[in-house]
Amino acid sequence: MDVNAEKRQAGDKAAEYVQSGMTIGIGTGSTVYWLIQALARRIAQENLGFRAVATSEKTAHLIRGLGFDVVSLDQVKHLDLAIDGADEVDPRGHLIKGGGGALVRERLVARAAERFIVMVDESKQVQVLGKFPLPIEVVPFGWQTTSDRIRDLGVDPVLRLEGQEAFVSDNGNYIVDAKFKAIPDPDRLYRSVKLLAGVVDVGIFAEFKPLIIIAKDGEVKEQQW
Ligand code: 5RP
């Protein structure tokens, strides 16, 4: 089964958790795209009614266009659910996120939610995090000095580009991607990188107990942490 079909299956499954009256967080990325399509169908077919906080301008634009009731995190403060994708998931439910550059808002939204649902296709499952380069959001001012501090941890951070220019996050920051060979202690690495001057956030999500929806070989499995 191709990856896109698996993403669609995971998105369809996650959409089933949304109930009328809820306030939900909606993540960013190609799996989330399918979640949004499934929710749009439920709005049309069942008159499903909910409010949504978007984790990125891209998602906000997409869901506004589909008529979703979009609110800001500060308007609602508390979310019933946050649903998002991930770049990697290990057997303990720890994640790498930020492939789409939305890690800061994704963490804020997930932290505000009672329940965090993560949708992945089988390609995202790893024994140990670290195959996927770790996204690290840094302030543009002095970003090369911040990169040097990250380099001191034994990696080679690469500035994320969009075309010829630096990619700029919705928060006006840069992202450097750092390939750690293996991240056996995600919480420890998160803390050491997050403490470096110039770092805004790190794409390790280890503090959650997510419900992981995994689409694999045409089947959808769920694992609650
Ligand atoms: C965006 C993210 C995404 O959830 C992650 O990159 C997965 O994306 P996709 O569903 O397109 O594979 O963290 O910042």
Side-chain angles (χ1 to χ4, degrees), residues 2 6 34 57 89 102 131 134 147 206 217:
D2 78 87
E6 289 183 343
W34 291 112
E57 298 302 330
V89 54
K131 249 196 262 163
L134 180 64
S147 255
D217 298 332

Side-chain angles (χ1 to χ4, degrees), residues 87 96-103 106 132 135 160 177:
D87 299 299
I96 288 187
K97 288 188 49 53
L103 61 153
E106 287 172 343
F132 193 89
R160 191 179 296 186
D177 295 294

Side-chain angles (χ1 to χ4, degrees), residues 44-124:
Q45 289 165 6
E46 303 163 32
N47 208 18
L48 178 73
F50 59 88
R51 297 186 296 177
V53 173
T55 58
S56 63
E57 298 302 330
K58 206 170 175 180
T59 293
H61 180 74
L62 184 59
I63 63 179
R64 265 198 207 101
L66 290 168
F68 288 32
D69 182 4
V70 182
V71 288
S72 75
L73 184 56
D74 287 327
Q75 266 174 285
V76 293
K77 293 201 169 76
H78 172 267
L79 304 170
D80 297 292
L81 273 184
I83 310 177
D84 207 341
D87 299 299
E88 273 187 0
V89 54
D90 78 6
R92 293 174 292 169
H94 300 146
L95 314 169
I96 288 187
K97 288 188 49 53
L103 61 153
V104 169
R105 297 189 187 192
E106 287 172 343
R107 189 188 309 279
L108 287 167
V109 166
R111 287 254 184 116
E114 225 164 276
R115 193 164 197 202
F116 184 31
I117 299 180
V118 175
M119 311 163 295
V120 292
D121 58 83
E122 61 175 321
S123 70
K124 309 286 183 61

Side-chain angles (χ1 to χ4, degrees), residues 139-155:
V139 293
F141 181 85
W143 73 269
Q144 294 189 28
T145 63
T146 305
S147 255
D148 289 344
R149 270 179 220 105
I150 298 168
R151 188 169 291 109
D152 287 344
L153 300 174
V155 287

